[in-house]
Amino acid sequence: DKNVREYWTLQRAIHYINNNQRKEGLEQLYLIPESSIYAEDASRVLRQIHELNADVLIESLKQSAGDLNACSSMVQSWNAATRLKVARELISRSHEKPAEWQRNSIKAILSESIEFPNHMTGELYRLLGDSTNAAKCFKLAIEQDGETIHTLTGLADVTRDAEGMKRVLRATSQDANKSYWYWLANLRLVEWHLQDGGDKVDAIAKINRLRKMDASLGGTHFQHLFNELSE
């Protein structure tokens, strides 16, 4: 019957997890509904593995990303250290390859967490497109800890500060491996140039010079956005 099936689903999940097959174990745990008599056991197993691996934490959020309430409930069950770990991982993944599911995850993290450093909170708000709160946090971070490339770029982005972005380029252009912030600064400067009625030929020439430096233009995400500006 239903209870027997759910019991063996839980046992399969535990078997997978004990054999370092976390993805398969999570897939089994997600099959156990909240109404099940084994739901509490499944939640306990999830909490235990949450502390072990950031990938597991992110996968759990991704599975619930369509429902902000579900995301928030999951975040509430974590301690402060776990939330911090997930926030850092969400920022890293958003920089590498933004995805829609990340937005609810970030919203849930922000709604339940007030203990993050200001620069991190600012970046989470920036990724959500909340320029007002992002600017407040970046300014606080700069006042308290001084200016960094991270806070300078973040603040320049949300306040549309072209001179600030040029400072970012001067500070990062000599690095052999150009950072996320370098490519973001270049993207915004080209974007703002066009929005302000600048010559598109100049913008395309700038993008072509960047392409000679790195054919990928800083990675798939940035390449796509630069290509859109070139069209």
Side-chain angles (χ1 to χ4, degrees):
D1 64 8
K2 176 175 175 292
N3 289 339
V4 171
R5 288 196 305 272
E6 290 168 359
Y7 170 81
W8 285 111
T9 300
L10 177 63
Q11 296 309 310
R12 281 194 297 274
I14 293 171
H15 171 78
Y16 281 130
I17 292 163
N18 286 341
N19 285 277
N20 295 317
Q21 294 175 275
R22 290 186 180 141
K23 180 180 179 181
E24 292 81 356
L26 285 170
E27 289 173 351
Q28 294 297 312
L29 288 174
Y30 295 137
L31 294 175
I32 300 174
E34 292 184 5
S35 59
S36 171
I37 63 173
Y38 299 106
E40 186 175 342
D41 294 310
S43 296
R44 185 175 64 253
V45 174
L46 276 172
R47 285 195 298 272
Q48 290 170 347
I49 62 177
H50 277 164
E51 299 298 329
L52 301 176
N53 191 304
D55 290 337
V56 174
L57 296 166
I58 293 295
E59 186 62 27
S60 297
L61 274 179
K62 188 175 181 179
Q63 291 285 341
S64 304
D67 184 342
L68 183 56
N69 290 330
C71 278
S72 296
S73 296
M74 188 175 299
V75 171
Q76 287 172 7
S77 71
W78 298 340
N79 59 30
T82 301
R83 292 174 190 169
L84 183 63
K85 179 196 298 183
V86 173
R88 285 176 174 154
E89 185 65 20
L90 279 172
I91 289 172
S92 177
R93 293 190 183 207
S94 296
H95 286 181
E96 183 178 346
K97 187 178 180 181
E100 186 59 32
W101 67 266
Q102 295 162 357
R103 293 181 62 81
N104 271 356
S105 300
I106 291 173
K107 288 177 183 177
I109 287 282
L110 284 171
S111 69
E112 300 299 331
S113 305
I114 58 174
E115 69 275 9
F116 293 157
N118 284 311
H119 73 272
M120 181 178 291
T121 305
E123 183 60 11
L124 290 167
Y125 277 124
R126 187 187 74 84
L127 292 169
L128 279 183
D130 186 340
S131 297
T132 300
N133 281 317
K136 289 177 183 177
C137 293
F138 285 133
K139 287 175 182 176
L140 280 173
I142 291 169
E143 288 174 10
Q144 294 172 359
D145 304 314
E147 195 174 72
T148 65
I149 293 299
H150 175 162
T151 53
L152 171 61
T153 317
L155 183 59
D157 188 23
V158 298
T159 58
R160 207 180 186 277
D161 178 7
E163 290 305 312
M165 284 303 192
K166 290 175 184 177
R167 287 179 59 205
V168 173
L169 290 185
R170 289 194 292 271
T172 58
S173 61
Q174 298 305 313
D175 295 340
N177 296 316
K178 299 299 190 289
S179 67
Y180 169 85
W181 310 110
Y182 172 84
W183 291 105
L184 178 64
N186 274 298
L187 177 72
R188 290 293 184 254
L189 287 171
V190 173
E191 188 175 50
W192 296 339
H193 168 78
L194 291 172
Q195 288 174 356
D196 293 340
D199 189 347
K200 188 158 189 176
V201 172
D202 290 341
I204 293 173
K206 169 69 172 178
I207 294 170
N208 287 337
R209 288 195 297 273
L210 291 169
R211 189 175 278 112
K212 289 179 181 178
M213 181 190 307
D214 179 354
S216 74
L217 291 169
T220 304
H221 172 58
F222 282 122
Q223 186 178 52
H224 170 72
L225 295 175
F226 277 118
N227 288 341
E228 284 189 341
L229 294 175
S230 299
E231 293 175 355

